[in-house]
Amino acid sequence: MSASAPPRRKGLRDFYENPSVPVASGTARSLRQARMLATAMGPSTTTPRTVLDIGCGDGTAAATAAPLLTGHRLVGVDWSQDALKRARTHLPYTVRGELTGAGLPFGTESVDAVLFSEVVEHLVDPDAALDEIRRVLRPEGHLMLSTPNLAAWYNRALLLAGVQPVFSEVSLRAIHGRPGREVVGHLRLYTARALREFVAAAGFEVVRLEGAPFHGVPRPLRGLDRLACARPSLASILLLHARRT
């Protein structure tokens, strides 16, 4: 009798296919980011401009942004078929695509703006991801990137106390050594300075950096978290606007 095959170990793709895994930092971030993009793009013209929400997940963040981007074509992009199925309940246009391998199913210099929200921290190869985004963006096209801040005000205090920073993870199975309960699969974390340098090195001009609050901050500290947004280097979430050069 032959031995049975060992059970297949689940990888990152299986992890992100799980609909219970949180993939966004809250409505406040989505609204702030959408306002930044709406200001940058200006009012719609007779010809709608194309905005990709890359890593759209279930589409709720793009749906939050849509009223501020009236007249523009908002397209949700994700590699997960399950995520796209859920996103179709919120968005009129969805496309399956990846930032590695075959790349995005869009022509070179064919897109006017990209929303890249809470994605870069999950990537094995963020350099290749920005290369692909730069390829599809038109010259002077807009990149709106958001990601958790490694140097958030509370993370500085936690590190001084010898505690693992919020947003950082050492396992896909459980949280170890830091506050919180949700495992979300973060592989890379950025400070404001590192994010600016990373995006500039990929061929973008950094236009603006803002901060946004994080919905997971305990209620008694949320007022302080909102105040920290005035200084992006201390904020929970980094919102970066860059243009393709």
Side-chain angles (χ1 to χ4, degrees):
M1 180 182 294
S2 61
S4 59
R8 183 177 69 88
R9 291 183 180 271
K10 292 186 176 182
L12 275 175
R13 284 184 175 263
D14 300 284
F15 178 82
Y16 291 124
E17 284 282 6
N18 183 351
S20 67
V21 174
V23 293
S25 58
T27 302
R29 187 273 303 160
S30 300
L31 283 172
R32 288 181 184 226
Q33 193 171 31
R35 290 189 189 108
M36 289 173 69
L37 180 56
T39 299
M41 294 184 69
S44 61
T45 61
T46 53
T47 303
R49 283 178 281 180
T50 300
V51 179
L52 303 185
D53 182 8
I54 297 178
C56 66
D58 63 6
T60 54
T64 299
L68 298 176
L69 299 171
T70 303
H72 300 302
R73 183 183 296 110
L74 188 56
V75 182
V77 182
D78 209 293
W79 61 264
S80 167
Q81 293 285 16
D82 180 69
L84 291 174
K85 182 179 178 180
R86 288 179 282 140
R88 290 185 189 110
T89 65
H90 299 287
L91 298 171
Y93 307 105
T94 58
V95 177
R96 188 179 187 279
E98 300 190 53
L99 288 165
T100 56
L104 297 169
F106 298 92
T108 298
E109 299 184 357
S110 63
V111 172
D112 299 287
V114 166
L115 286 168
F116 199 42
S117 309
E118 320 292 308
V119 177
V120 69
E121 65 270 16
H122 299 274
L123 300 179
V124 173
D125 190 351
D127 302 282
L130 283 199
D131 287 345
E132 181 63 2
I133 289 172
R134 190 175 186 279
R135 180 187 70 80
V136 301
L137 276 174
R138 304 185 199 277
E140 299 296 311
H142 303 283
L143 169 63
M144 294 290 173
L145 185 156
S146 68
T147 191
N149 182 9
L150 175 61
W153 60 275
Y154 41 81
N155 279 345
R156 300 183 186 212
L158 290 173
L159 276 171
L160 285 174
V163 178
Q164 188 82 7
V166 175
F167 307 125
S168 66
E169 296 176 340
V170 298
S171 170
L172 289 179
R173 299 179 181 177
I175 293 298
H176 301 290
R178 72 156 173 83
R181 298 178 181 177
E182 296 177 335
V183 179
V184 294
H186 288 172
L187 303 180
R188 300 180 184 277
L189 289 175
Y190 299 80
T191 63
R193 179 175 178 176
L195 186 64
R196 282 179 177 274
E197 292 184 5
F198 168 64
V199 171
F204 292 86
E205 175 192 0
V206 176
V207 177
R208 188 174 180 183
L209 184 69
E210 292 190 7
F214 175 49
H215 72 280
V217 170
R219 189 174 298 276
L221 298 176
R222 289 180 184 175
L224 186 56
D225 193 42
R226 287 191 294 271
L227 286 174
C229 294
R231 189 172 178 184
S233 62
L234 295 175
S236 287
I237 307 297
L238 300 171
L239 306 178
L240 182 138
H241 170 209
R243 278 196 297 258
R244 181 195 186 278
T245 56

